[in-house]
Amino acid sequence: MNDTVFDLAVIGSGGAAMAAAIAARQAGKSVVLIEQATLGGTCVNVGCVPSKTLLAAAGARHGALGNPFPGAPTSAGEVDLAALVGQKDELVGRLRQAKYADVAAAYGFEVRPGRARFTDADTVTVDGQPLAARAYLVATGAEPAHPGLPGLDEIDWLTSTTAMEQTELPESLVVIGGGYVGMEQAQLFAHLGARVTLIGRLAPAVEPEVADALRGVFADDGITVIEDRAVAVETVSGQVEVVTRSGRRASGARLLVATGRTPRTAALDLDAAGVKTDDRGFVVVDAQQATSNPRIYAAGDVSGAPQYVYVAAATGRVAALNATGAAGPRPATVDYTGMPGVVFTRPQLGTAGLTEAQALAAGYRCECRVLGLADVPRALANRDTRGVVKLVADTTTGRLLGVHAAADGAGEIMLAATYAIKAGMTVDEIADTWAPYLTMAESLRIAAGLFRNEMPTSCCA
């Protein structure tokens, strides 16, 4: 039996876990990670990395089919999905080694295989063997949720994970769920050549002007969007058929369900440790990532934090510093001001800071400006002006509160937006700040100028 007492034992090996381990090791603490499945967690294995590389492949094909420059002809042939999935798997394996296994070796912490379980408030076992630590961090992430639709378990349905393992492109696909996973997967398969129907409210969390822009793009892509709730699944003549609340029906060869994610905690026996969870099963934490058990912390998706890998990493760092005492007398916390988010559709949906509704709910008097991409020189040069940029500002101070966009490269715009929001810049300051011409990021400066004057601008002024 190993009688080593670690300063921190981390359950999981994804973004939150790795960030926590690195932060603890940099503070001179001893760390062990416990992983029951594949090293690396969601992002590298079944989330960000595989989905974005497949989206890039699908986008390349779609761009060739919809080339707006007839003087430079392109073509796109049939899709070899097995080859694309193989290329995706090679990338995943390479990054798992370089960014997880090699990093663990460089920082000098062990990744121990096995299933972790709390047996009481102070004890964790790994495959039945006790593992002693002064503090524990739950960073087990989340997994696709089961919506409990009648008839669902009678068919072979796909999740975002299993969809990216398919080696044959379905002729048609029904996607349940209009959030970021459903949108990305719907457009991925549509751009590869499948006939796609999406059921659910499209982009429910983004600004309405941005969602409207994506509705138009999906229509152009031939994606049928039924903004209704799915209530049942049936098999009719060998096809999957989804019935909506209003009685509409959508059929396809395969069904993909993307109705959210649920915390991965079932095997941990958190009740034995006195760790509270909320009504959805996510671990309840305070601003320091501490749970109801003072020796146990939680970080990343399992803690109910916004489900982005960079948020997982930030919460993991905070949890490690507080759990090991490395934060000192002033506990570490996560500052969510200006937090960005990106949906990697084509065009991308990007957001940073507050929406108009969030700003009003927070007590701000705010005003907004919406810039169509027809007024952005980069979009004109690209010959694709579908999209918008919306700025939300505090009426009293002019300070920028939020930036929201549907645009090619919207994610890149959000980096500048986050910096501007974090720095407390006003829309006047943004309008007077340098912006390189013929970039999509220039739209931020142009949109800020609309707060002064909504008259047309010269292309270079």
Side-chain angles (χ1 to χ4, degrees):
M1 177 175 166
N2 189 339
D3 57 1
T4 300
V5 178
F6 294 95
D7 292 313
L8 181 65
V10 183
I11 306 171
S13 66
M18 290 294 291
I22 291 169
R25 290 297 294 138
Q26 288 176 323
K29 307 298 182 180
S30 59
V31 182
V32 61
L33 267 59
I34 307 160
E35 177 55 68
Q36 70 173 21
T38 305
L39 176 67
T42 295
C43 183
V44 72
N45 290 308
V46 297
C48 323
V49 170
S51 65
K52 276 47 177 183
T53 193
L54 289 175
L55 280 162
R61 177 182 185 272
H62 183 72
L65 289 171
N67 175 20
F69 298 97
T74 59
S75 62
E78 293 298 314
V79 168
D80 183 346
L81 189 56
L84 289 179
V85 169
Q87 189 178 24
K88 175 262 294 183
D89 290 343
E90 183 276 329
L91 175 65
V92 167
R94 180 154 41 90
L95 290 181
R96 186 192 303 127
Q97 181 65 40
K99 299 299 184 182
Y100 293 82
D102 292 351
V103 168
Y107 279 92
F109 57 85
E110 176 190 357
V111 180
R112 185 173 299 186
R115 184 182 295 272
R117 176 175 170 268
F118 289 96
T119 56
D120 57 41
D122 301 304
T123 309
V124 161
T125 61
V126 180
D127 289 343
Q129 297 299 312
L131 185 149
R134 295 179 179 88
Y136 300 97
L137 172 60
V138 176
T140 48
E143 58 194 11
H146 188 307
L149 284 175
L152 184 61
D153 289 338
E154 297 172 18
I155 66 167
D156 180 22
W157 55 284
L158 300 170
T159 67
S160 57
T161 299
T162 57
M164 292 187 292
E165 297 169 350
Q166 303 302 300
T167 56
E168 293 185 7
L169 183 70
E171 174 271 329
S172 54
L173 177 72
V174 179
V175 178
I176 299 177
Y180 71 95
V181 175
M183 288 188 289
E184 288 184 357
Q185 292 287 324
Q187 200 178 53
L188 164 61
F189 280 94
H191 285 179
L192 290 176
R195 176 174 56 82
V196 177
T197 301
L198 184 147
I199 297 174
R201 184 182 168 198
L202 194 69
V206 307
E207 291 281 33
E209 298 91 343
V210 174
D212 282 344
L214 193 67
R215 287 187 182 93
V217 169
F218 271 33
D220 292 343
D221 288 349
I223 300 171
T224 300
V225 177
I226 301 174
E227 299 204 49
D228 197 0
R229 182 183 295 275
V231 295
V233 177
E234 302 172 357
T235 301
V236 179
S237 302
Q239 295 272 297
V240 177
E241 194 161 281
V242 180
V243 184
T244 73
R245 182 170 47 189
S246 63
R248 294 187 65 179
R249 291 176 175 265
S251 64
R254 299 301 304 269
L255 172 66
L256 191 158
V257 178
T259 53
R261 296 178 67 80
T262 189
R264 193 180 287 116
T265 58
L268 295 177
D269 202 357
L270 294 176
D271 287 342
V275 173
K276 293 181 180 178
T277 57
D278 66 15
D279 56 1
R280 298 178 300 158
F282 291 93
V283 179
V284 176
V285 295
D286 62 16
Q288 290 79 47
Q289 303 300 135
T291 74
S292 51
N293 182 328
R295 291 186 60 190
I296 301 174
Y297 288 68
D301 293 357
V302 76
S303 69
Q307 293 185 7
Y308 303 113
V309 69
Y310 42 90
V311 173
T315 59
R317 285 191 293 271
V318 163
L321 294 175
N322 292 328
T324 62
R330 187 172 183 178
T333 59
V334 177
D335 179 5
Y336 288 97
T337 303
M339 184 188 73
V342 186
V343 181
F344 288 85
T345 47
R346 188 183 176 103
Q348 295 173 357
L349 302 188
T351 181
L354 302 178
T355 64
E356 181 178 1
Q358 289 169 339
L360 292 171
Y364 288 101
R365 292 179 59 242
C366 68
E367 57 180 318
C368 305
R369 295 292 186 273
V370 178
L371 175 73
L373 293 196
D375 291 318
V376 178
R378 176 75 262 175
L380 292 167
N382 289 349
R383 294 188 176 271
D384 186 355
T385 58
R386 299 173 300 172
V388 296
V389 177
K390 179 175 181 176
L391 269 55
V392 182
D394 182 350
T395 302
T396 303
T397 64
R399 186 164 60 89
L400 185 67
L401 301 175
V403 178
H404 311 275
D408 180 32
E412 314 301 329
I413 299 171
M414 292 310 124
L415 179 60
T418 293
Y419 289 164
I421 295 167
K422 288 275 287 184
M425 292 181 70
T426 66
V427 288
D428 276 341
E429 289 171 333
I430 294 168
D432 290 335
T433 297
W434 295 112
Y437 182 54
L438 281 178
T439 65
M440 198 62 74
E442 185 189 19
S443 63
L444 191 59
R445 182 190 67 81
I446 299 171
L450 296 178
F451 285 87
R452 293 175 174 169
N453 179 6
E454 297 195 59
M455 294 291 289
T457 60
S458 168
C459 67
C460 309

